[in-house]
Amino acid sequence: MPSRSIEYDEVTESIPFGDLVEGGPVISTSSGLMILEIQGDLNLPQRIPDKLTETESEMYVQDESSLGINTADELGSSGSHTAVKFGKLDIDGKRATLYIGSSQRLVGTIEKIDPPLGLMRILSESSTEETPIQVLDVIRQKAIFRSRPLPIM
Amino acid sequence: MDIYSWLQRDDSFHLIQMTPDLVKTMENNERLIFKSRDRDSSIFLCSDSKTFHIRKKNHSNTVIVLKHDKENAKAIGFASMDSELEPKVVSGSIDISDVPLFEETGEEFTDFVKRTNPPSFADLRAVSTASKTEFDVQWAELNGCEIDGHAVILGFNLVVSVLKTIITTLVAYDMDQEAFSATKLQERLEDIRPEFARTVLAQFATKTPAGYSLDKPKISRWFGLQVLRSTLAPVKEEDFLINWKDAFPAFFDVSIDIQSLVGSFVRPFPNMVQFYNSAGLPQDPVQRFKELFKIQASWSLEEMKPYVEDLNSRNLKLESFVMKYARRKRIGKNYVITRR
Amino acid sequence: GEIVEAPIKNNENRIWVKYHEGFSDAVKKNIRWSDLF
């Protein structure tokens, strides 16, 4: 009968969850995680396309570390990741604007997530020993975009 | 800020709802374990005190988890989620289908083990989809017994016989029934295995700082049940009460109250009682009430309650629920429930 | 006149959001051990 234990030392500091601080919503957690939610599908390429214009190529980075963000250590992921710049996010108080690619503008809000969401990483079991599952962070706010995309003007 | 995304997103990440119940177990620093009966069964999350059933809530929105770097105003999405895990508090359960029943038949325990191959107690605990607390409570209720590391359940007659011996011993040695030492008791229980005594005390005594204290109302009810079950035919209520009184060991002072057996007997004729158990009653309310009125034409609400309350899924006031399938009839000052 | 091209024009390379008209209410599903681990 299968079983896996959970470790949540990383998040116990943030428990119990007090009230969110008023005045200027902080969308990311202290460890820098955040959630974007879009009512729709976000179409992104799965790999770097072959034929790209110069402007397009600038949107791709072969190795995320060149962005100055290191997801590898904290999230326990390994290897370098190719990334694409797909947009721009502006936050003004509770209002958020997300520009997608070069043609769409989404207007949304910063909202409280209730109940908050814990981010877990579940790696497949190694055959010899049980690897505990880590709760890496708890996310309490998100930027959510429910309205139809508008053209960028 | 500029928003990036990995082209190949990592699907080893999952979001779980941090419900107040789950947060509470974390505040208490309880050990949390995901468990399942087998790879094709439901997933449970067990803490020391609670059991959660894990369901998946799918949605059609795009939910991206990003790592944000405030310094250089960039964020990078590494996971995209189409679901959240939802932990819902349920009552934990022990799967006893592989746990054999041990009765006193004269068979040596080692032979019994060879014949029945009981699971190990540690395994049973490890695989049960129940929190530690729930497991202990239910294991005691089931008359579960750990012998030489094996998990077995003690049979009804064995439990009654051990209970009788324990009571007789406490009476004979004039030990305090509300504060006795299990060790001292065991020294005087010559022929009883300590494991049996432990199981019976777990079921029929509570542990207090001063020692063990017999749960007399529970012992009383248990003997009442034993007497009820011993005759399948209806018996006069008076006779039943006398037999019940007689069932206790000598000089054991305990009161009896037929109301403590509500849910285990019916009244097929006036002033007669008969053992009756709710297992096997129809799940359909109309059929259930029909069956109940067939056995007993008129009921008090109180005595009917245990036979119907599980059907009241909308949590109506019990009387309102019963009135949907039955009617009330006034007899003198009281009301009884009869068929429509 | 001059044809203004979007920076990313062909469909394969395009990054865009396909809007969902109605929010489909979340569906709760029972899952098996092997679905998650």
Side-chain angles (χ1 to χ4, degrees), chain A residues 35 37 113-118 142, chain B residues 14-18 54-59 63 81-87, chain C residues 26-29 31 36:
Chain A
I35 286 183
E37 181 168 344
I113 305 176
D114 189 26
L117 293 170
K142 64 184 172 187
Chain B
H14 298 267
L15 293 172
I16 184 163
Q17 295 180 355
M18 302 292 280
I54 302 292
R55 287 195 299 176
K56 196 171 173 184
K57 199 174 112 186
N58 288 326
H59 57 76
V63 171
M81 312 289 195
D82 57 9
S83 65
E84 302 172 352
L85 300 174
E86 183 193 65
Chain C
V27 189
K28 288 173 188 173
K29 267 191 359 184
I31 47 166
L36 193 58

Side-chain angles (χ1 to χ4, degrees), chain B residues 149-211:
Chain B
H150 300 287
V152 300
I153 285 174
L154 304 188
F156 186 88
N157 294 330
L158 175 55
V159 169
V160 171
S161 113
V162 173
L163 178 60
K164 278 184 175 168
T165 310
I166 287 177
I167 295 172
T168 314
T169 307
L170 291 172
V171 170
Y173 289 91
D174 203 18
M175 294 172 77
D176 187 348
Q177 291 171 15
E178 264 123 58
F180 60 91
S181 142
T183 323
K184 289 220 172 85
L185 170 71
Q186 189 56 49
E187 284 165 11
R188 288 154 187 174
L189 290 174
E190 285 153 19
D191 298 332
I192 307 278
R193 284 186 84 117
E195 295 92 341
F196 293 174
R198 215 170 290 146
T199 293
V200 171
L201 289 183
Q203 171 83 274
F204 295 105
T206 49
K207 213 175 170 179
T208 71

Side-chain angles (χ1 to χ4, degrees), chain C residues 13-26:
Chain C
N13 298 356
R14 220 180 118 211
I15 292 169
W16 88 104
V17 165
K18 187 176 160 231
Y19 183 65
H20 291 169
E21 230 13 278
F23 176 70
S24 77
D25 208 7

Side-chain angles (χ1 to χ4, degrees), chain A residues 19-35 89 91-95 109-113 138-143, chain B residues 1 68 70:
Chain A
D19 290 331
L20 290 166
V21 184
E22 277 302 318
V26 184
I27 184 177
S28 51
T29 66
S30 54
S31 70
L33 290 186
M34 61 184 230
I35 286 183
L89 176 69
I91 295 175
D92 176 18
K94 294 258 175 204
R95 283 182 43 142
T109 49
I110 306 293
E111 286 181 12
K112 189 175 160 187
I113 305 176
V138 176
I139 305 162
R140 302 172 64 193
Q141 292 201 103
K142 64 184 172 187
Chain B
M1 74 182 91
H68 175 206
K70 286 178 188 113

Side-chain angles (χ1 to χ4, degrees), chain B residues 227 235-246 271-273:
Chain B
V227 175
V235 287
K236 271 192 181 156
E237 189 175 335
E238 281 172 54
D239 293 345
F240 165 68
L241 294 175
I242 291 166
N243 292 341
W244 188 1
K245 268 277 180 205
D246 283 349
N271 303 320
M272 300 283 265
V273 293

